[in-house]
Amino acid sequence: DAGVIQSPRHEVTEMGQEVTLRCKPISGHNSLFWYRQTMMRGLELLIYFNNNVPIDDSGMPEDRFSAKMPNASFSTLKIQPSEPRDSAVYFCASSLADAPESSYEQYFGPGTRLTVT
Amino acid sequence: GQNIDQPTEMTATEGAIVQINCTYQTSGFNGLFWYQQHAGEAPTFLSYNVLDGLEEKGRFSSFLSRSKGYSYLLLKELQMKDSASYLCAVRDSNYQLIWGAGTKLIIKP
C-alpha cells in the first residue's frame, strides 16, 4: 500500500502567488482531512471530507483558502493569494469511517512544507 | 471551550520508563488517540482508548479514565528512537478530533 501521497513535498513561493497542494488518500478510505502544523499553533484541522463531501470547513482560516475533492482519490488545497503567515507544513490524512464506534485512526501523508517569502 | 493539556517537554534516560499525561475537557467523548511524530515527519498512530483501563501494545501502553478526563501513555525500555513528539487527541461528540499541542520527549543515553 502506497499510503497517503502528497505533492509537492516542498514549495517555496512569493507572497501573492497562488499555491495548490495535492493529496491522494489511501484507496478505500472515505474520509479525508487537511491539517496545518506550525511550531506556534501545533496541528490544526482546516477541513475534512466524508465521501467527497466537505463536512466541516470551520478551520479554514479565511477566504484565501479553498479545498476540493472532485473524486474519492484526489483532493486539493488552494491558497490564493498566499501570505508569509501561511508558511507551515500542510498534512493530508485519510481514514476509513466505516462505523462511528470504530477507531478509524487517521493515516497521514508526508506533508508539504510551504514557505511564502 | 475544548481543551487538551499535555506537558510541553519531558526528558528520560535510555532503558527507563516514562509516562506522558494528557487531560482533556471536550464536548462529549468518543475515544482518545495517541500519535507519535518524529521531527520532520508525519504523525503515526500509536493507540486508541474508548473504555476505561489500560491498553498494552508491546513497549507502549495507554490508560484512560473517562470520569477524570485523563489519559497517559507509558513507554517502557526506552530506546533512542523513541525521541519524538507524542500527540494526544480526543474525538468529541461530533466525531471531530481535538488535538493537544504534543509532548516533546528527549531520550538521553
Side-chain angles (χ1 to χ4, degrees):
Chain A
D1 193 339
V4 177
I5 299 172
Q6 291 187 247
S7 65
R9 294 292 307 275
H10 301 272
E11 177 81 28
V12 180
T13 190
E14 292 183 347
M15 181 175 64
Q17 297 297 307
E18 176 181 302
V19 174
T20 299
L21 312 180
R22 299 173 176 79
C23 175
K24 177 179 169 55
I26 292 173
S27 177
H29 282 189
N30 58 359
S31 292
L32 183 140
F33 307 81
W34 281 103
Y35 289 93
R36 177 173 68 179
Q37 187 174 42
T38 61
M39 289 293 291
M40 290 297 295
R41 302 170 70 100
L43 196 63
E44 301 174 278
L45 176 66
L46 300 177
I47 185 172
Y48 89 96
F49 295 83
N50 188 256
N51 294 320
N52 311 339
V53 176
I55 302 300
D56 183 358
D57 64 354
S58 59
M60 297 287 260
E62 47 198 273
D63 293 345
R64 297 185 297 107
F65 286 68
S66 62
K68 295 182 179 179
M69 191 164 186
N71 57 62
S73 59
F74 184 66
S75 177
T76 59
L77 178 68
K78 185 179 292 186
I79 308 172
Q80 179 185 24
S82 58
E83 297 182 2
R85 59 190 168 127
D86 301 331
S87 296
V89 179
Y90 290 80
F91 288 107
C92 174
S94 71
S95 71
L96 176 60
D98 54 351
E101 65 272 16
S102 70
S103 65
Y104 59 92
E105 65 265 26
Q106 296 180 17
Y107 294 81
F108 284 74
T112 296
R113 183 173 295 277
L114 174 65
T115 303
V116 183
T117 60
Chain B
Q2 311 212 84
N3 194 52
I4 296 183
D5 287 316
Q6 309 177 232
T8 302
E9 186 174 297
M10 298 182 70
T11 302
T13 304
E14 189 177 16
I17 299 174
V18 70
Q19 177 175 311
I20 302 174
N21 295 325
C22 170
T23 57
Y24 62 89
Q25 291 177 310
T26 57
S27 55
F29 177 85
N30 283 295
L32 184 144
F33 297 78
W34 284 96
Y35 280 76
Q36 180 189 58
Q37 185 176 23
H38 285 102
E41 299 183 10
T44 55
F45 170 77
L46 282 180
S47 69
Y48 170 72
N49 295 70
V50 67
L51 299 176
D52 289 350
L54 189 68
E55 294 282 341
E56 297 186 81
K57 193 184 292 186
R59 295 187 299 113
F60 292 5
S61 303
S62 56
F63 171 83
L64 174 67
S65 170
R66 289 172 295 172
S67 62
K68 295 182 180 179
Y70 168 71
S71 172
Y72 67 72
L73 180 69
L74 191 71
L75 292 75
K76 303 177 184 175
E77 301 169 15
L78 286 170
Q79 301 175 10
M80 297 304 292
K81 65 178 182 178
D82 297 330
S83 293
S85 287
Y86 291 85
L87 304 168
C88 173
V90 173
R91 193 162 63 195
D92 68 10
S93 56
N94 294 319
Y95 292 91
Q96 295 305 302
L97 269 186
I98 312 301
W99 293 85
T103 298
K104 182 178 181 180
L105 178 63
I106 300 168
I107 309 297
K108 295 186 175 180

